[in-house]
Amino acid sequence: MTEPPEAPAATEQPDPGARTELPEGQGPERPSRVSSLVARTVEALPRSVNGRAVLAGVVVSALLVLAIVFGSRLLRDYDSALIPYAVASVFLAFGVAYRYTVWVSAPGARRLFTNGWRSFFSADNFRRAPTALPKMAATYLGFQKFLGARSHARWAAHQLIFWGCVLAALITFPLTWGWFTFTSGTGSGPGYEMRLWGVRILGFDSLSFVGWVMFHGLDLAAVLVIPGAAYFLWRRMKDRGAMTGQRFAYDMVPLLALIIISVTGLLLTFSSIFLHGGGYEFLAILHMVSVVFTLIYIPFGKFFHIVQRPAAVGMQLFKYTSRQGDEVFTCRRCEEPIDTGAYVENLRGTMRDLELGFDRWAEYCPRCKRVLRGNAYLSQVKKGFQ
């Protein structure tokens, strides 16, 4: 093996023959009316990240309020008992938009977000791999196969929590906003109608299996969530690896919130069926407080990864489609494959945006990076000691 080359200095520029592309913004400009309009719009936005995030939060919250008003037919179908839940969902919309804007403003996340959407809307990618997006959405978002490689138990517990929360969200939010209503179809008897925005979409018998599922959907969601959250809670208290870096507010509180919501929801059903409503008011208030707290907590705690995950799917799509139509980039030192040229250039661009000054390191494989760092230590640091 030949002697490893000297590690590139922080301010060293790429070689003229290196396999690089021009940094963004240095290519030939093509001014147009559309680009000038976009430029003026961008200039009109707040300069600071916090200002843009607040503006995004206000806009999204206002749109949700309008959706609640018009979706409930000017509040005609709205249940006033659900006001706390609706207010919490508006705060949730503000928090998600605020936090997402701040997150996307970071160079790495912005590139991930941009490349993901570019791959999503690319006609060439769709022609080359028409099933790539649904396949990745199913495996990466729905079934989270990447967790199965770590632990089958963790994957099963995460699946229980995921599908339980999805079912609960699909039921809770439309009911909270007054979009879904259930009314008696005949005025007497077991017949019921489910209406969406005032339009009848389904009629069912409340005494049938379909009726039982309709009225106990949240109970089914709770039954899914409790064992999944209990497993992770047990692991947090028993596994030394999990205990080492855990934080109570970040790791334990979300699990406790899920369990409290699920248990109080099941107790409401138990009270109405077996206790003839005994303690129902107290349980309803406790359940409401736990749900409202969790909705407000989502954008600023561990649950925020729910919002981030689709962007990660976009990045996976970008990597997958790049592999289909681009040559694999090899290490400049050992010629071992690293990744596609588009992915390496994306990483280099992120490093340039962060002004790290060593974006050329992206052109080396992990092993060669360690060798070059060791060589630099021997020649620059160890050299001064006898």
Side-chain angles (χ1 to χ4, degrees), residues 289-307:
V289 170
S290 60
V291 172
V292 169
F293 166 79
T294 304
L295 291 178
I296 297 176
Y297 172 84
I298 285 176
F300 307 103
K302 193 170 186 177
F303 287 143
F304 184 66
H305 77 276
I306 300 171
V307 185

Side-chain angles (χ1 to χ4, degrees), residues 35-56:
S35 61
S36 62
L37 178 61
V38 172
R40 289 197 299 269
T41 305
V42 171
E43 290 178 359
L45 294 175
R47 294 289 183 179
S48 67
V49 174
N50 186 67
R52 293 196 300 270
V54 170
L55 178 61

Side-chain angles (χ1 to χ4, degrees), residues 45-46 48-64 90-105:
L45 294 175
S48 67
V49 174
N50 186 67
R52 293 196 300 270
V54 170
L55 178 61
V58 171
V59 170
V60 173
S61 301
L63 291 176
L64 178 57
V90 173
F91 274 99
L92 169 65
F94 176 88
V96 167
Y98 177 92
R99 179 81 186 278
Y100 203 88
T101 303
V102 172
W103 176 61
V104 172
S105 298

Side-chain angles (χ1 to χ4, degrees), residues 14-132:
D15 297 333
R19 292 164 292 182
T20 58
E21 299 176 9
L22 284 175
E24 291 183 5
Q26 293 185 9
E29 297 184 359
R30 296 180 179 178
S32 64
R33 294 182 180 180
V34 176
S35 61
S36 62
L37 178 61
V38 172
R40 289 197 299 269
T41 305
V42 171
E43 290 178 359
L45 294 175
R47 294 289 183 179
S48 67
V49 174
N50 186 67
R52 293 196 300 270
V54 170
L55 178 61
V58 171
V59 170
V60 173
S61 301
L63 291 176
L64 178 57
V65 171
L66 293 176
I68 293 174
V69 173
F70 289 103
S72 60
R73 298 193 300 168
L74 300 180
L75 304 180
R76 188 183 311 168
D77 297 330
Y78 191 79
D79 187 354
S80 59
L82 301 177
I83 288 179
Y85 298 99
V87 173
S89 66
V90 173
F91 274 99
L92 169 65
F94 176 88
V96 167
Y98 177 92
R99 179 81 186 278
Y100 203 88
T101 303
V102 172
W103 176 61
V104 172
S105 298
R110 183 173 62 249
R111 284 182 170 273
L112 182 150
F113 184 83
T114 303
N115 287 324
W117 280 110
R118 185 181 294 121
S119 301
F120 178 80
F121 287 110
S122 172
D124 292 336
N125 290 341
F126 181 78
R127 284 194 297 267
R128 287 199 305 263
T131 62

Side-chain angles (χ1 to χ4, degrees), residues 3 74 108 328:
E3 194 69 14
L74 300 180
V328 175

